[in-house]
Amino acid sequence: MSFLGSIVSKILHPFGGSSEAQAAPAGAPAAPAGGSDAPASTGGSAPAAAPGSIDIEANLAQLAANNPQKLNWKTSIVDLLKLIDLDSSLSARQKLADELHYTGDKNDSATMNIWLHKQVIKKLEENGGKVPDDLKD
């Protein structure tokens, strides 16, 4: 599963869920066969849940309530990744930036992080997440 696919799955189905949780998000490349580093195809993604059918804010708020750290997941990609227990290291975020076709300087982590957070929220909405206006770009 792609890094973005892991993010979408953990946020849309944080407490278990359907087999759709294992599907790649809409617009995300499928994982290449055999685990090679070759670019993956961008076509043929699984159908997303109905738009606005999964409350992103409620899912993340519940995860935050159960987390001992105070994480600013509404604006920070690092905190969002920590909240869903995924690697938030710079190299992981740079990999996510590659997956999402970021064209900026990946060494300018502040700018990249803001862009990543906006893109992840956008992808959540594209995959059936109900995203409150204050989280949208």
Side-chain angles (χ1 to χ4, degrees), residues 77-88:
I77 189 68
V78 172
D79 284 2
L80 180 62
L81 292 172
K82 285 180 181 180
L83 182 62
I84 59 174
D85 200 28
L86 289 177
D87 184 0
S88 63

Side-chain angles (χ1 to χ4, degrees), residues 18-105:
S18 70
S19 60
E20 290 175 7
Q22 302 303 317
S36 74
D37 290 329
S41 166
T42 57
S45 60
S53 63
I54 300 169
D55 190 337
I56 299 302
E57 188 170 31
N59 284 359
L60 291 172
Q62 186 170 357
L63 288 172
N66 296 328
N67 192 303
Q69 293 180 300
K70 181 162 174 51
L71 299 170
N72 187 12
W73 60 267
K74 288 187 175 187
T75 59
S76 168
I77 189 68
V78 172
D79 284 2
L80 180 62
L81 292 172
K82 285 180 181 180
L83 182 62
I84 59 174
D85 200 28
L86 289 177
D87 184 0
S88 63
S89 68
L90 177 59
S91 62
R93 287 178 279 125
Q94 288 171 331
K95 185 182 286 189
L96 178 60
D98 287 338
E99 190 175 323
L100 292 171
H101 309 291
Y102 181 64
T103 58
D105 179 3

